[in-house]
Amino acid sequence: QSALTQPASVSGSPGQSITISCTGTSSDVGGYNYVSWYQQHPGKVPKVMIYDVSNRPSGVSNRFSGSKSGNTASLTISGLQAEDEADYYCSSYASSTTYVFGTGTKVTVL
Amino acid sequence: QLQLQESGPGLVKPSETLSLTCTVSGGSISSSSYYWGWIRQPPGKGLEYIGRIYYSGSSYYNPSLKSRVTISVDTSKNQFSLKLTSVTAADTAVYYCASLRRGWFDPWGQGTLVTVSS
């Protein structure tokens, strides 16, 4: 099972919106609605930001939203803030009853 | 509130077996709502799913690690464990345990760094 493909880096200015893509196959992202997104600050534990493609856990800012089209899922951060600077990983359930993570995207707030 | 904590040796010799335990508090490992999983992250690299287990003992592994991984559960101690055999330097990573609800991992343990070196 290969890692899901994410851009290595995405940047934006405060207040702007950015979108991170997560591309897989019909055996993972495209085949199931079990896509989740994680934020990880340096040296910290990953934190779930989105689950089941587009659902936000309690306590996560509504500036974070998720969607999916075909084999590609996306995480959008609107109203970008300095605290959003972190690494972001997508994850998907995959056939063969496994899970797969994305390659990770470093978000920089300019 | 569910909390998880990893424990185990921080240094393992090449070719030996890495063994870690995750202790669950604030809830029962026998809950039907969760699987219990292991994820690792080599220094400076991305996350890799290792496997998961249900309280009944049913386990599922990453195909790329399946030949070397065993995950077990001890409901009496509210713990689950990871064993990874024949380790090499490539297995050096921060190892996280996490609860898995349907499709997402939450919460995670604090993580423990395991270094493979002689």
Side-chain angles (χ1 to χ4, degrees):
Chain A
Q1 194 72 41
S2 298
L4 307 174
T5 301
Q6 298 180 229
S9 62
V10 173
S11 61
S13 298
Q16 287 187 329
S17 293
I18 62 170
T19 296
I20 303 168
S21 61
C22 170
T23 301
T25 69
S26 59
S27 296
D28 38 63
V29 174
Y32 307 92
N33 286 324
Y34 290 150
V35 175
S36 52
W37 289 89
Y38 302 87
Q39 175 192 65
Q40 186 180 34
H41 288 106
K44 301 298 185 181
V45 177
K47 172 188 174 184
V48 62
M49 306 302 283
I50 295 288
Y51 67 93
D52 291 356
V53 176
S54 59
N55 293 297
R56 265 190 321 275
S58 173
V60 172
S61 171
N62 59 9
R63 299 185 297 105
F64 291 84
S65 61
S67 63
K68 189 183 84 167
S69 178
N71 296 336
T72 298
S74 299
L75 174 71
T76 297
I77 309 174
S78 57
L80 198 62
Q81 299 180 0
E83 67 204 49
D84 301 331
E85 188 162 292
D87 293 328
Y88 291 83
Y89 296 91
C90 60
S91 174
S92 175
Y93 180 76
S95 57
S96 304
T97 69
T98 191
Y99 284 82
V100 60
F101 283 95
T103 51
T105 298
K106 181 177 181 59
V107 169
T108 301
V109 181
L110 302 172
Chain B
Q1 184 171 345
L2 206 57
Q3 291 185 308
L4 292 82
Q5 179 66 57
E6 306 88 350
S7 59
L11 181 64
V12 181
K13 290 182 168 55
S15 79
E16 295 190 344
T17 297
L18 179 159
S19 297
L20 295 174
T21 296
C22 182
T23 301
V24 178
S25 60
S28 173
I29 202 168
S30 298
S31 169
S32 60
S33 300
Y34 304 107
Y35 276 85
W36 306 97
W38 288 98
I39 300 115
R40 69 180 183 179
Q41 184 172 35
K45 297 189 178 181
L47 300 168
E48 180 179 32
Y49 168 77
I50 299 172
R52 70 189 188 277
I53 193 164
Y54 198 51
Y55 75 92
S56 62
S58 298
S59 55
Y60 307 87
Y61 305 124
N62 183 332
S64 67
L65 296 170
K66 188 175 183 178
S67 64
R68 298 194 293 132
V69 173
T70 302
I71 298 176
S72 58
V73 63
D74 186 337
T75 55
S76 67
K77 295 182 179 179
N78 234 31
Q79 296 176 332
F80 63 105
S81 298
L82 168 71
K83 289 189 186 301
L84 181 67
T85 62
S86 304
V87 297
T88 69
D91 295 310
T92 293
V94 174
Y95 285 77
Y96 295 100
C97 60
S99 64
L100 175 58
R101 317 183 194 191
R102 206 167 64 209
W104 72 97
F105 298 91
D106 179 67
W108 298 53
Q110 286 299 303
T112 187
L113 174 63
V114 179
T115 301
V116 179
S117 175
S118 57

